[in-house]
Amino acid sequence: MNAKGASPLPAALDLVLRILVGVLINIVLKILCVYAGCQVLLRKLLGLQDPGAPRPVAVAVPWDAAPRAPQSEAGARCAGGSDDGQLSSDEDVIADITADDGGAEAGAKLLLPKGAASAAGPGPTRLVQAAHIPVDAVAGADSDAWRLVGPYLRQYGSGALSSSTLWNPEFLHFFVPGLGSQPYVIGRAYNRTIVVGVGDPLAAREHWLALASGFRRAFPIATFAHVGADFGRLLRDELGYGVNDMGAETNIRVQAYAYGKKTRTIKNAVRDAKAGGVAVRELTAAELTPEVCDQLAHVTGDWVKQKAVGDSMLRVFIRHLDYENLHLAEGVRLFVAERTVPDADAQPGRTADDAAAGGGAAKAAGRKVVEGFVLVDPLWRGGEVYGYVTSLNRMRQGSHHGTLKLLYDEVMSAAKREGKEVLTFGFSPFFNLQLTPFMGALWVEAAGRFLFEFGNTLYQFKNLAFSKARYGGSVEGDAYKDPNVTMTHVYGATNTRLLDIGMLDLYVLLMYVGFFGNLDDTLFKMAGLRKSMGNSFSEEPAGAIKGAAAGGGGDE
């Protein structure tokens, strides 16, 4: 990997290449927008259903199906603490969604792909109507989404985004009682509607195919993002998707990890932050006073000023946090870094460095000001938390440069004390893309590599990857030099092969998650002519399509 933010080409050549490629892509996408507009008009003339409205779907479910610990050696070791006491019975859940199985059978044809009968499990099965459950970020853990999908998350939510799918308001869940859920999002821009399954299903592996095929029958245009290698292989082999590498996650084995020669700069930054008066503590829900929440919000506002993309544009891959309604439940934890400053100087608009300049009495008396924070979500397996993912990190401008590193160090120490296995730093888009084990559309592969090398002005792809990869010492091929830091790739699955309308769909997805803005804004920013991008998804939450959260179909 190149140095932080560096281009492999001279600055002038880099700029020319970005402009030329940007203009070419802009022209192609605008042509595809016109084509997509014609498709929308034709669909309306023919009275065809909106592609973002779910079709009614019934899925074959074993009679005795229920959430249970993963059938693996690792899962068996963690299965002792299952949350059976928190589960609603499958019969109660089904009653909430559909009156009877006969209605489900009458409402949808059961079109199972080859091999799907066995995917539902051996023995007698019943047809169950799938439901589309929206996430209620305000109600949080008291929402219907948590009541229905939560039991499956606690058993199978081992992905870095698994917990986020029940906290972020843009998510919905394709939910089949007895099997589990496929989290997804819906977005619309430039006459295109995208429906994207995000992450592996929250279900036992033997039920993945039944859920994936049911999800595609509900949304024939469905694609997938941020899936693991095993689920990607199923999508390719059983459902015919093309699969491409999307990037990598950096994972630290906390029980064995230690700083070495390659990571001494991190160790020194941690030491210096402590010496500079920065201290880290974990906050409980009771400690989330209005004053603390205001400080957290200000830290985020300060952080965003330094970044290429505003917080309001980012979704799906970035954890949602409402500072006026912050939930610390279901294993979510919040660590804050603070410094003590005089009462007169502890104003949200001032940094601790500003306050410290006021005199040595700062450390004698005063109050604590938040300099940065890290929110971690749990990684679940068999009803127990076996690790954490750093879902959100923020640091105030002017804070000690080692603040975030100290926060990570404290999170790792806490996880180690508690006997957890791993801390993952989450997703680095387009980082260290590999041609194996999947090679889908060549243009998708080329687009990812181009964005990582030349798209840092749009979103700081290299900076993000560098900040995480440095914990592994250095990258050697498809691994880190430190064996206690691993690299896990995640993949995207599409129906496209050639350069077609799928190119516009990919643009809409990248625009949806916040990496891109509107077409011309993105071009100007890539050329260095604009500092910010407009994004049409910003004005309506998640770009969600009305009616998608219901159990049946229908136009918008």
Side-chain angles (χ1 to χ4, degrees):
M1 189 178 73
N2 294 310
K4 182 179 178 181
S7 168
L9 300 175
L13 184 57
D14 174 89
L15 177 61
V16 170
L17 183 61
R18 282 190 281 122
I19 293 175
L20 288 178
V21 173
V23 170
L24 177 62
I25 292 175
N26 185 276
I27 292 171
V28 171
L29 288 173
K30 286 183 175 179
I31 294 172
L32 291 175
C33 287
V34 174
Y35 174 69
C38 294
Q39 285 185 321
V40 171
L41 180 60
L42 181 62
R43 187 163 54 246
K44 288 182 177 179
L45 290 174
L46 296 177
L48 300 179
Q49 184 171 332
D50 188 304
R55 280 75 173 155
V57 168
V59 179
V61 178
W63 278 101
D64 60 349
R68 61 188 184 280
Q71 299 302 305
S72 67
E73 223 175 275
R77 289 197 301 269
C78 295
S82 65
D83 281 332
D84 291 340
Q86 301 181 43
L87 309 186
S88 302
S89 72
D90 285 332
E91 295 297 337
D92 290 341
V93 173
I94 293 170
D96 286 342
I97 296 171
T98 183
D100 54 39
D101 290 338
E105 191 170 2
K109 296 180 180 179
L110 186 65
L111 302 175
L112 296 175
K114 183 179 179 181
S118 61
T125 61
R126 53 184 170 172
L127 287 178
V128 175
Q129 181 80 33
H132 299 266
I133 312 296
V135 170
D136 185 345
V138 175
D142 296 325
S143 65
D144 284 343
W146 268 103
R147 181 174 63 87
L148 297 172
V149 182
Y152 296 90
L153 173 72
R154 299 182 196 106
Q155 292 294 329
Y156 312 113
S158 61
L161 294 180
S162 295
S163 285
S164 290
T165 67
L166 280 172
W167 293 113
N168 281 26
E170 66 267 23
F171 277 100
L172 299 101
H173 286 261
F174 175 81
F175 177 63
V176 180
L179 293 190
S181 161
Q182 173 61 63
Y184 72 97
V185 295
I186 301 178
R188 170 177 288 163
Y190 294 118
N191 299 315
R192 293 296 293 175
T193 299
I194 58 168
V195 180
V196 185
V198 180
D200 296 346
L202 301 175
R205 290 186 178 228
E206 61 265 28
H207 297 151
W208 281 4
L209 179 56
L211 274 170
S213 58
F215 179 64
R216 192 169 72 166
R217 284 183 282 122
F219 298 104
I221 64 170
T223 58
F224 293 83
H226 202 277
V227 304
D230 291 342
F231 189 47
R233 192 170 292 107
L234 180 147
L235 293 173
R236 180 193 65 185
D237 297 344
E238 300 292 340
L239 299 180
Y241 281 91
V243 181
N244 288 87
D245 196 348
M246 283 186 65
E249 296 172 344
T250 300
N251 318 295
I252 296 180
R253 295 169 175 162
V254 295
Q255 296 301 325
Y257 182 77
Y259 298 119
K261 290 182 179 179
K262 290 279 189 177
T263 52
R264 64 180 178 273
T265 55
I266 300 175
K267 182 179 180 180
N268 292 341
V270 170
R271 178 199 62 204
D272 294 345
K274 290 180 179 178
V278 181
V280 173
R281 66 185 176 110
E282 181 177 1
L283 292 185
T284 64
E287 293 174 302
L288 291 175
T289 63
E291 180 186 2
V292 170
C293 291
D294 285 346
Q295 289 194 56
L296 296 174
H298 186 267
V299 169
T300 292
D302 229 21
W303 173 266
V304 169
K305 292 176 185 176
Q306 311 168 57
K307 300 302 174 182
V309 179
D311 231 32
S312 62
M313 287 176 60
L314 296 171
R315 53 179 70 85
V316 182
F317 300 137
I318 300 296
R319 177 69 145 77
H320 169 77
L321 205 60
D322 181 354
Y323 296 100
E324 295 181 357
N325 186 30
L326 208 161
H327 297 278
L328 294 182
E330 295 293 347
V332 178
R333 302 170 71 172
L334 179 64
F335 293 80
V336 297
E338 299 170 317
R339 289 174 75 180
T340 301
V341 299
D343 287 337
D345 293 324
Q347 303 297 327
R350 300 193 63 181
T351 69
D353 286 333
D354 293 335
K363 295 184 180 179
R367 61 176 178 170
K368 294 176 180 177
V369 172
V370 176
E371 296 291 286
F373 67 89
V374 171
L375 184 84
V376 297
D377 282 327
L379 303 175
W380 292 94
R381 186 176 59 206
E384 289 191 350
V385 175
Y386 75 93
Y388 292 97
V389 54
T390 56
S391 293
L392 197 66
N393 60 73
R394 297 289 183 260
M395 186 174 77
R396 186 194 302 275
Q397 287 190 65
S399 295
H400 191 282
H401 68 90
T403 297
L404 282 181
K405 297 176 182 65
L406 176 58
L407 279 160
Y408 294 148
D409 186 79
E410 291 292 335
V411 172
M412 283 191 281
S413 297
K416 185 175 182 177
R417 287 194 305 270
E418 296 162 10
K420 307 307 182 191
E421 299 173 24
V422 65
L423 175 70
T424 178
F425 289 138
F427 181 42
S428 297
F430 314 124
F431 169 52
N432 203 31
L433 298 183
Q434 302 294 308
L435 299 177
T436 58
F438 306 108
M439 186 62 227
L442 286 173
W443 70 265
V444 175
E445 173 74 22
R449 291 176 182 269
F450 178 84
L451 284 173
F452 187 79
E453 293 295 344
F454 302 102
N456 221 48
T457 56
L458 300 175
Y459 186 84
Q460 295 175 334
F461 300 112
K462 285 189 176 181
N463 304 56
L464 180 65
F466 176 81
S467 66
K468 298 174 181 180
R470 65 193 309 174
Y471 281 82
S474 60
V475 178
E476 297 182 344
D478 192 28
Y480 291 115
K481 187 170 184 178
D482 188 334
N484 295 311
V485 182
T486 64
M487 190 183 301
T488 303
H489 287 267
V490 293
Y491 304 92
T494 65
N495 292 306
T496 187
R497 290 293 186 273
L498 302 175
L499 197 60
D500 55 12
I501 196 69
M503 183 179 178
L504 182 56
D505 290 344
L506 178 60
Y507 188 94
V508 171
L509 173 60
L510 295 177
M511 182 178 171
Y512 181 91
V513 302
F515 296 165
F516 290 174
N518 297 326
L519 278 170
D520 290 339
D521 287 351
T522 302
L523 172 62
F524 292 143
K525 190 174 183 185
M526 181 171 248
L529 302 176
R530 187 167 294 177
K531 290 185 177 180
S532 62
M533 297 181 292
N535 189 315
S536 60
F537 283 115
S538 301
E539 297 178 3
E540 54 177 316
I545 296 177
K546 297 175 183 178
D555 292 331
E556 183 183 5

